Amino acid sequence: MSVRSVISIVAAFLCVAASPAWAWERAGYVDYPATAKCLSENMCLLVSCPAVGAPSFEMVIYEHGKATGEPFDIIIDGRTFTFNLPERGAHDLYRWPLADDFSDALQKGSRATLAFDPVGLPYAFSLRGSGAAVRRVLSGCGPSSAPDVTAAAC
């Protein structure tokens, strides 16, 4: 693991480690509005606004063994959203445009599961507090031009 990766992980946990496990907290390790939910010491999910009118879903994850372009799912209250892994970007984050239907599910949902590794255990987590946290980020972001992500049939 590179020094840059270690610094990113330490910074992420300095921002959220003191919070209750359910909390979505301000992501202080990026220089734009963002809220983060860390699922493990190697994985954090973010809703962010890296540019006006460009709300994003981001993820920092290390040691995952997936190649660029490989899919993974986030299931929110039984509704499946499929993402393909892009190239790693700034701050060691993977980034996607924040689709309106995914944003809505994050804000209104109660439980989610990140099914990243089909042979490993999924990451199940509460969305408690996500609605207010996501709305805070989006309120200063401006209008979105992100397309809807089609949820897979269950």
Side-chain angles (χ1 to χ4, degrees):
M1 186 180 296
S2 71
V3 170
R4 180 177 163 191
S5 297
V6 171
I7 291 170
S8 293
I9 290 172
V10 169
F13 285 98
L14 287 176
C15 293
V16 297
S19 304
W22 54 265
W24 285 74
E25 294 292 332
R26 183 183 177 286
Y29 49 96
V30 294
D31 57 359
Y32 45 82
T35 187
K37 169 85 172 182
C38 291
L39 307 180
S40 74
E41 63 187 29
N42 290 322
M43 182 184 309
C44 293
L45 308 177
L46 294 86
V47 172
S48 65
C49 186
V52 174
S56 298
F57 168 61
E58 297 178 302
M59 184 169 65
V60 59
I61 182 170
Y62 299 102
E63 302 174 16
H64 56 75
K66 280 199 174 278
T68 299
E70 286 192 68
F72 67 93
D73 295 326
I74 296 179
I75 302 109
I76 300 175
D77 294 338
R79 188 171 177 198
T80 301
F81 297 89
T82 299
F83 295 85
N84 291 313
L85 199 63
E87 292 289 331
R88 192 181 306 261
H91 305 288
D92 283 329
L93 293 167
Y94 296 104
R95 179 183 295 158
W96 301 264
L98 182 64
D100 292 338
D101 59 341
F102 181 64
S103 173
D104 189 57
L106 279 174
Q107 293 176 63
K108 296 176 181 173
S110 60
R111 298 285 309 155
T113 301
L114 174 64
F116 195 78
D117 180 359
V119 296
L121 295 174
Y123 294 89
F125 57 100
S126 170
L127 291 174
R128 182 176 176 193
S130 63
V134 170
R135 282 190 297 279
R136 273 192 301 274
V137 171
L138 298 181
S139 68
C141 197
S144 169
S145 59
D148 281 349
V149 173
T150 304
C154 298

